């Protein structure tokens, strides 16, 4: 995989460089609530602009249905990119039409433009190779060189991620090079003890990565909504807690494999439970009850790991040489259910080894809960991409850059 360093060494002054970024930021109306993904692509965009390239930044945002939708416009992201760069960033109101062509044609050396949400064009996400390829050809007409730096999208076989790099000289940006380097530390020559903390709502989302980790990790700490399927598989009642009953046979098999392989699989010993899901808008007091994990009342649902589990998980992370964490321990968006996620985040900071926050809600939680991002070894920008890499899957966007 050639990197942006090689591209810069060859010289990019006057060249149109298409940067496939991941500007898929959360929005409250037109207000960006977390600009982490924009900041992550800054080193690549800055380096290209300072070297005299004419930089064309492209991304998706949300899930529009192949047509323009103002709710998913990249205009706020373009404005924020300009603020962070300290320079004007031009914005094209379409992807490959008159506006995009005019904006790109108007760029001078060292200037940056953002084109509108790629998913406003049905060709971006099409399952039809010809339709995707046709859109990629239109995008290729806007550029001389391709730089892939949208790590959060590399697990998608989309036109701008998979087809476009085949049509232009292609390089990995700083972010993708960093992300791949980090993931290799989690899969090749891993420093031990290797501890993985997994949370989030659905156990089905994590089964494939658990399957792989049962042969690699030393300890697996399970929290979040997915923990209740594990507890049920152990024969415990889980009340109204989130449960994927159809996954219980697989979970039982994984628990047996963990024991056979000598992998320590750690489940909550207590949880915070309540009869009502908390109001995440008003953050009204929730008044949860702490109960043993094997004694959740029939009318309550578990919404966070309890104080004894927080201590337990912190102790299991205390000697870790390598840590990967993906998924919050509870409904961290509400202050009454944030302590479990806070405890795991703090335990990563306190751990002596290399710590990786695996993107998605975990990365959002770190920022929302006020932690210093620099206190972690690495915070990934792509939860889904990170998990699929750890599952051993071939990621289309990385494969396209390696050709």
């Amino acid at each position: 995989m050639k990197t942006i360093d090689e591209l810069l060494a060859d010289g990019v002054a006057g060249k149109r460089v298409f940067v496939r970024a991941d500007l898929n930021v959360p929005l409250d109306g037109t207000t960006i609530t977390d600009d982490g993904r924009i900041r992550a692509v800054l080193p690549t965009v800055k380096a290209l602009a300072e070297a005299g390239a004419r930089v064309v930044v492209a991304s998706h945002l949300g899930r529009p249905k192949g047509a323009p939708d103002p709710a998913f416009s990249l205009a706020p992201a373009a404005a924020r990119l300009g603020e962070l760069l300290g320079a004007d960033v031009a914005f094209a109101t379409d992807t490959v039409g008159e506006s995009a062509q005019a904006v790109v044609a108007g760029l001078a050396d060292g200037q940056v433009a953002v084109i509108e949400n790629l998913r406003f064009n049905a060709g971006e996400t099409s399952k039809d190779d010809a339709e995707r390829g046709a859109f990629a050809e239109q995008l290729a007409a806007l550029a001389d060189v391709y730089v892939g730096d949208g790590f959060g999208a590399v697990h998608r076989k989309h036109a701008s991620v998979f087809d476009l790099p085949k049509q232009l000289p292609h390089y990995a940006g700083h972010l993708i090079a960093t992300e791949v380097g980090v993931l290799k530390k989690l899969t090749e020559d891993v420093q031990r003890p290797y501890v993985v903390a997994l949370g989030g709502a659905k156990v089905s989302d994590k089964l494939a990565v658990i399957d792989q980790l049962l042969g690699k990790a030393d300890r697996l700490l399970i929290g979040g909504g997915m923990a209740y399927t594990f507890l049920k598989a152990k024969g415990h009642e889980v009340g109204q807690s989130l449960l994927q009953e159809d996954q219980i046979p697989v979970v039982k098999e994984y628990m047996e494999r963990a024991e056979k392989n000598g992998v320590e699989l750690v489940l909550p010993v207590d949880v915070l439970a309540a009869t009502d899901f908390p109001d995440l808008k008003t953050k009204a007091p929730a008044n949860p009850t702490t109960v043993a994990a094997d004694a959740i009342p029939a009318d309550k649902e578990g919404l966070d790991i309890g104080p004894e589990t927080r201590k337990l998980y912190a102790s299991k992370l205390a000697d870790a040489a390598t840590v990967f964490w993906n998924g919050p321990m509870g409904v961290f968006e509400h202050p009454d259910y944030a302590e479990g996620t806070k405890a795991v985040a703090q335990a990563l900071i306190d751990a002596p080894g290399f710590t990786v926050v695996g993107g998605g809600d975990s990365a959002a939680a770190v920022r929302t809960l006020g932690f210093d991002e620099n206190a972690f070894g690495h915070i990934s920008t792509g939860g889904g991409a990170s998990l699929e890499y750890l599952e051993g899957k071939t990621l289309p966007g990385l494969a396209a850059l390696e050709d």
Side-chain angles (χ1 to χ4, degrees):
M1 185 186 293
K2 291 187 290 186
T3 70
I4 188 175
D5 291 332
E6 296 169 76
L7 172 61
L8 292 168
D10 290 340
V12 292
K15 291 183 179 179
R16 300 170 301 162
V17 180
F18 188 102
V19 177
R20 202 326 181 166
D22 179 9
L23 308 180
N24 185 27
V25 291
L27 293 171
D28 182 2
T30 58
T31 302
I32 296 169
T33 57
D34 181 354
D35 67 357
R37 285 176 169 165
I38 301 174
R39 287 185 285 111
V41 79
L42 278 179
T44 290
V45 174
K46 270 187 176 179
L48 290 168
E50 288 171 0
R54 302 177 182 191
V55 187
V56 182
V57 181
S59 176
H60 71 286
L61 192 152
R63 295 180 182 272
K65 302 186 185 300
D69 183 338
F72 297 107
S73 175
L74 277 176
R80 181 59 180 151
L81 178 62
E83 291 172 1
L84 293 168
L85 287 171
D88 289 337
V89 169
F91 181 66
T93 57
D94 57 25
T95 56
V96 291
E98 290 182 6
S99 178
Q101 293 170 33
V103 165
V104 173
L107 288 175
D109 292 2
Q111 290 187 330
V112 179
V114 174
I115 62 174
E116 187 55 285
N117 190 337
L118 292 165
R119 290 187 183 175
F120 284 3
N121 189 304
E124 170 68 0
T125 59
S126 176
K127 305 284 189 199
D128 182 81
D129 291 349
E131 186 178 9
R132 268 200 338 274
F135 182 48
E137 283 183 15
Q138 291 178 291
L139 292 171
L142 299 174
D144 305 304
V145 182
Y146 177 92
V147 172
D149 215 31
F151 180 72
V154 294
H155 57 315
R156 307 294 188 193
K157 192 177 181 180
H158 290 169
S160 65
V161 175
F162 179 72
D163 302 270
L164 179 57
K166 296 178 179 180
Q167 302 191 27
L168 295 170
H170 47 268
Y171 302 82
H174 289 309
L175 175 61
I176 279 187
T178 298
E179 293 272 14
V180 171
V182 166
L183 288 167
K184 285 184 176 178
K185 288 185 180 182
L186 301 178
T187 54
E188 303 171 14
D189 192 27
V190 180
Q191 299 299 302
R192 299 186 180 280
Y194 178 19
V195 185
V196 177
L198 294 176
K202 294 181 178 180
V203 69
S204 57
D205 293 341
K206 305 289 166 67
L207 286 177
V209 76
I210 293 171
D211 183 48
Q212 287 292 314
L213 291 169
L214 288 175
K216 292 175 180 162
D218 297 300
R219 294 179 203 132
L220 284 176
L221 314 181
I222 306 294
M226 62 183 285
Y228 302 103
T229 301
F230 278 85
L231 292 170
K232 185 72 171 179
K234 285 194 74 174
H236 302 322
E237 289 303 320
V238 297
Q240 301 300 308
S241 305
L242 188 62
L243 176 65
Q244 288 186 282
E245 200 131 13
D246 60 322
Q247 303 297 333
I248 288 175
V250 182
V251 167
K252 281 183 176 178
E253 192 263 322
Y254 282 4
M255 289 194 293
E256 290 167 3
R257 271 178 54 204
E259 187 172 1
K260 182 180 177 182
N261 293 351
V263 177
E264 189 179 2
L265 199 155
V266 189
L267 299 177
V269 294
D270 62 348
V271 302
L272 294 187
T275 53
D276 297 306
F277 195 85
D279 188 322
L280 300 182
K281 286 194 173 180
T282 66
K283 305 286 198 298
N287 300 317
T289 302
T290 301
V291 299
D294 60 357
I296 300 173
D299 64 338
K300 295 185 185 296
E301 63 177 316
L303 295 162
D304 193 14
I305 56 173
E308 293 305 314
T309 305
R310 293 172 217 151
K311 292 177 191 173
L312 173 65
Y313 286 11
S315 72
K316 297 296 182 183
L317 289 160
D319 65 344
T322 305
V323 182
F324 175 72
W325 169 36
N326 180 277
M329 296 292 109
V331 187
F332 74 91
E333 299 91 342
H334 191 286
D336 289 349
Y337 300 105
E339 294 304 317
T341 301
K342 281 184 184 177
V344 168
Q346 186 61 52
L348 261 72
I349 292 171
D350 295 339
F354 181 61
T355 57
V356 179
V357 180
D361 286 341
S362 308
V366 163
R367 290 188 276 266
T368 300
L369 299 174
F371 287 96
D372 179 2
E373 294 181 50
N374 295 320
F376 302 88
H378 179 70
I379 298 179
S380 179
T381 56
S386 296
L387 287 176
E388 290 198 16
Y389 190 100
L390 294 182
E391 289 167 20
K393 290 184 178 179
T394 297
L395 306 187
L398 297 185
L401 292 175
E402 287 166 355
D403 288 341

